[in-house]
Structure formats: structure tokens, C-alpha cells
Amino acid sequence: VSPGHRPTIVDVANLSGVSKSTVSNVLIGAGRVSEATRSRVLEAIDALGYRPNSLARDLVRRRAHAIGVVVGDLANTFYAELVKLLEVRAAEAAYTTIVCNTDGDLERERARVETLLERAVSGVAMLQFSGDASVLRELEAARVPVVVVSCWEERADCVAIDDEAATRAAVEHLHGLGHRRIAHLTGALVEDGTRAARYAGFELAMAGHGLTARLVDVRDATGPALRALVTGAGGITAFAAANDLMAVQLIDALEAEGIRVPDDVSVAGLDGIELGAHSRIALTTVAQPRELLVDRGLELLLARMDDGDGERPPRHVALAPSLVVRGSTAAPRAP
Amino acid sequence: VSPGHRPTIVDVANLSGVSKSTVSNVLIGAGRVSEATRSRVLEAIDALGYRPNSLARDLVRRRAHAIGVVVGDLANTFYAELVKLLEVRAAEAAYTTIVCNTDGDLERERARVETLLERAVSGVAMLQFSGDASVLRELEAARVPVVVVSCWEERADCVAIDDEAATRAAVEHLHGLGHRRIAHLTGALVEDGTRAARYAGFELAMAGHGLTARLVDVRDATGPALRALVTGAGGITAFAAANDLMAVQLIDALEAEGIRVPDDVSVAGLDGIELGAHSRIALTTVAQPRELLVDRGLELLLARMDDGDGERPPRHVALAPSLVVRGSTAAPRAP
DNA sequence: GTGAAAGCGCTAACAG
DNA sequence: CTGTTAGCGCTTTCAC
């Protein structure tokens, strides 16, 4: 009864005097087992210290009970927290979580997705997506459901905030404070689609107030350039950044120039990362509802996974962002 | 040749007119295949868009080509970055990374490790470990190698910084600045062993200078209590915290009381998290070498995994931390 | 060099 | 309610 190694379902079957299938039924909980045998099997199981082998189970089911999470940069707390939430929810649904860090590199994204496909994951959550069509195609060909979380994607199930509404909220806040010369700060760190949408919202809101939108790339936001931007009669008095990281960087750069925030210039972010909450940073920001992002995302994914064959068109969920006012914004200085 | 579904090794074999085994040999790169057949097989592979099924491969090998990473809290940037580095290194070695977030909860740790065992991972890296002996025992019984990274653990392979040296470095720095009344800030967030070791180093260093060590729990470090602690003739002039998060919290609490850092009181951390590097925080800290932690950790793990049967005793690697002086420490005020 | 055969540990019809 | 029979897709001796 005791082979040198890890006990299998057969050992359990022998010890309890039933067949493999019966043991399997007990394990899976398929109702067709009498109480008597069930408990005999259960006894055998822990007498042996038997542990089911998911590898074998997954092979026959042709699908690993795991979901792949593709993330651009785990060192970015915003994403790290999303991954954490995802892992917790996935575990509740008995799925393990395989993480893949792409560093925003397309080749790596391709390679990682390929690995996930080889591992036959049940679904993939992309917390950052290059937008590359071939990646989507591969996934679809392999019939592995995907959900894109936190950035907008028409071609797949997706849950993200309403980017336009987010920048609009920032503008309204700044405008309400009295600012009129406001610039949008953006950069390559934001996915293309997201960047466009956020800028669109900014522009719209500004136009709504009869103001002209100005755009600054974070790479150009260095010392002297910044100084030129914010001083003088037509100088910018407030920035609405496309994300928190850039906003914080901007604050750094401004203060290195001796320009105080918010006394001289106001800065608003977008994301709601922890860093911004610290009292010394106190970043006013438009926060993304992280839990919702994850909950709805996993919901879409699980739904798609349960569907035998989900040829349904992509579903999109747009979540509302929320303004968090902290200390980095204030009324403009009297001219 | 084209069944409705995902092609298997048999399809490749048929198309290229060889047997499964030969295809397998090509895939694995076992040398015994002629150039001619090899290329025929390769052609068939991409004609079919064949992708090997790791589930089947792992089943026969009885080991998933994956490593499990158990982490307490992914939302803590220090750990998130370790996980990120681990994922990258693991991927380089063709291992996928399964993450498990325990929230520091023993039951969850047990459950997650159990899952990893069912999935038959090749190895487990614990970035935070309850210290529970039964977890270690299970892992050992299943012959799954473990490495504990970033916190000290005698009973298993382990790589961590020399905790005593770390707090000692903080004390030396503070002492050099002229501080004499220094307290160690600790709390429940740090694992027991680590907490003890860090305090021991602190005490030793203080004793070396003929000074008495004082200990403050972060939970007691609230407004009024803090004020009492740092004012008056015998008031504390500097804190050496057991980790960065607590140090930052302390700064918050101090400044909320109107006590300025570093003008009135100096604060040094331990970890080297990103947050501390931000100019508005500028935390002086004793940094852990994260890359080394991960590299050496994975090295130990892979070594153990390759060993047919590694009954070798645990190996321990102690890494040297490094002082990073920033703006949260300064000479004490003239009395 | 290449192929045939024998599983890895489990699930899933289908009989009994 | 339980057992029998087939595999899932791949690796791996061992002959040829």
C-alpha cells in the first residue's frame, strides 16, 4: 500500500476498497456517493496524507485552474495593489495566479502570453496592454478569455475608468479654485489610448470654460523649461497630470527650481497611489476605484470562462473616478 | 491532419512523417536527431502553429516548471519589487511565477503552500515567513525546496541582510552626527526574529558608545506621547526605525505635532523603499540590496532543485546593508 | 538516428 | 451508487 513516494488516487482507492472513480467522485463532490463510502474514502485520504495532483487533473480537463496576470511594472504600487487584489479574489475562486512582468516591452509581452498559453491558463487579465493586435489574436485562437483592466481596450472585455471624466474632474477642481491657465502633463509612460482619452477630457473641459488647453510632456518638464512655463504674465498656474507618478515627478522638479507647490503652482494627479497620500506629498488627485476595477474585471473574466463558447462581443465597463483633494492644489496667487 | 482543435505532438509527427518521440526529441533538443528530420519537424511545427502543452509535460515529469512566491503584502513596495525581480529571473530560467499573498496570516500561508504543493511547483520562495514549523515540514515531505528571502530563518535555505549590522550602521551614522539619546522604533509589522536581531544590533552599538538603548513601539508613537519623548533635557534626539514604513509614519506623527524632521529630531529608516527616495520625504535609511537578495535567493533555490536529493543542511547567506544618507537626519540642535 | 510501447495521475462517459 | 474503460499530451526507456 505504501510505494516509496507521494500517494496517488489509486492508493486511496485500494486502501478504502473502492475504485479510482469513486475516490474521484468524493474529491470532486459529485453527489453520487453514499455516506458510508465517502467517509471511508476520506479516512483513507488523510491516513495516507493524500494530496490531489492538479497537474493530472488539469491535463485531463485541458485547462489549468490558473489565471495569468500580465502587468507592466510591479514596482509601480498602483499595479502591485491591483495584482494583490486580483490574487486574493482569484484564490477565493480557487484559481492560482501566475504573474508576468513585461516592463512595458512588447516582445516580453508576447513571450509571456505565449508561456501562459503553453500553460493553458483559464484566463488572462492584462493590467497593462501594449494594444498589439496579434497578442489578442493568439489569445482568441487559443480560446483563452482576456480582460483588460485599468486601460481602455475596445477589442476585448475591459474595465477601466472613464478617462475623460477623470481629467475633466481635475480641471473642474482647478477651475473652481480660480485657475485659468492650466496645462495637461503627459508622457510616454501612459498607454496611447489612455493618453489620448485623458487629454481629450482635459481639452473638452477647458473648452467648456472658454479656455485654451496647453500640453506639456513630462520629458520637457525640466528645470529651466519649467521656470519659463510658469513665470510671467501668461504663465501656467496649475497642472493636471495624466498620472500620479508624473505629478509627483513634476512637484520634485518644480521645487528643485524653488517654485513652491501649491503656493506658486498647483498640481493635480490621477490614479490615487499610496505615495500621494503621505502627508509630506499630499497630492490632490483623481483616484481610480481599485477594488471595483479588480472585482468587475474578474467578474467579466469568470463569466467568459464559464461560457462554453463565448462568441459574445466584448463588454466594456467604465467606472467613475473620484476627486481626492489634498494639499498640492490651492487658489492661484494674486497676480 | 486537422482535428477541430489545438494541434498536438501527434499532429506534428504525422505531418512531418516521423514518430512522436522524434518530435519530442527535437523539442527538447536531445541531440540524437539528424539535421534533415529536425528541420522537417520544425517546419511542421509552425505550419501547424503547434504549441507544446506544459500540462502534459509537467505531468510526466511530475513537477511543474514553476516556482511559488509567497509574500506577505504585495502592496508593500519593498516586497513588490522583490517579486518583480524574482519573476524576471525566474522567467530567464524558464520558470513561471505563481504568487501568493498571505497578508501575514498563518492560515492563509498554510492554504497557499498547500495549493503550491498540489500544483507540484519546483520550488518555493518565501519573502515573508510566519516561521511555522509545519509549513516547512510539509514542504520538506513533498521534497519541494524552499528559500526564505529577506528574513532570517535557520531551518531553511535563506538569504537576508545582517540585521544587527543594519541597525548598527544607523546608530553609527546618528552617533557620528552628534546624537547621544537615540531610540529604536519597532512594531508588530516586523517578523519576530528580525525584530529581535535588529534591536540586538541597536543595543550593541549603543552599548559600544556607552549609551543606553531606548525602545519605542510604533503603536505608542502617537502625538502627545511623542512630544513627551522628545522634549525636555533628557529628550530623544534621534530615532533608528526597524523599517522604512515605520520611519515614514513616525515622521508624519512628529510633524503633525509640529516637531520638525530633521531640525528638531532625526529619523533613520531601514529597507530602502522608493518612497523614501522622494525629495519631499528624503529618508535617511539603511538599504537592503534587493537585487542581490533575489539573485542569491534564486541561486540557492535552483541549486536545491537541481540536486536529485538535497539532504544537505540549510545554507544561509548574510548580505551587507548599506547606509543611504538623505535629508531626515542632521546634527542635533544645540541644547 | 528513429520508432514502439508504456505510462505520469487523474476525469469522464458508460455500464452494471 | 460504484466500477470499467478510455484517454488527456507528453516523455522515456529500450529495441531496431
Side-chain angles (χ1 to χ4, degrees), chain A residues 140-164:
Chain A
E140 195 186 332
R143 305 191 118 73
V144 174
V146 205
V147 63
V148 177
V149 174
S150 93
C151 65
W152 201 259
E153 174 53 61
E154 286 296 338
R155 299 160 294 175
D157 279 4
C158 160
V159 28
I161 56 162
D162 179 340
D163 286 304
E164 291 196 21

Side-chain angles (χ1 to χ4, degrees), chain A residues 1 15 19 73 113 130 194 284 293:
Chain A
V1 189
L15 183 57
S19 76
D73 182 13
V113 169
S130 66
T194 306
T284 291
L293 237 27

Side-chain angles (χ1 to χ4, degrees), chain A residues 73-81 128 243 245 271 273, chain B residues 77 80:
Chain A
D73 182 13
L74 254 185
N76 180 330
T77 52
F78 179 73
Y79 293 106
E81 191 163 328
Q128 202 151 298
N243 75 26
L245 242 34
D271 266 354
I273 63 178
Chain B
T77 53

Side-chain angles (χ1 to χ4, degrees), chain B residues 104-118:
Chain B
D105 179 58
L106 177 56
E107 274 325 304
R108 227 181 266 224
E109 182 177 294
R110 281 220 187 86
R112 294 292 200 275
V113 168
E114 179 64 23
T115 309
L116 291 176
L117 257 22
E118 289 184 5

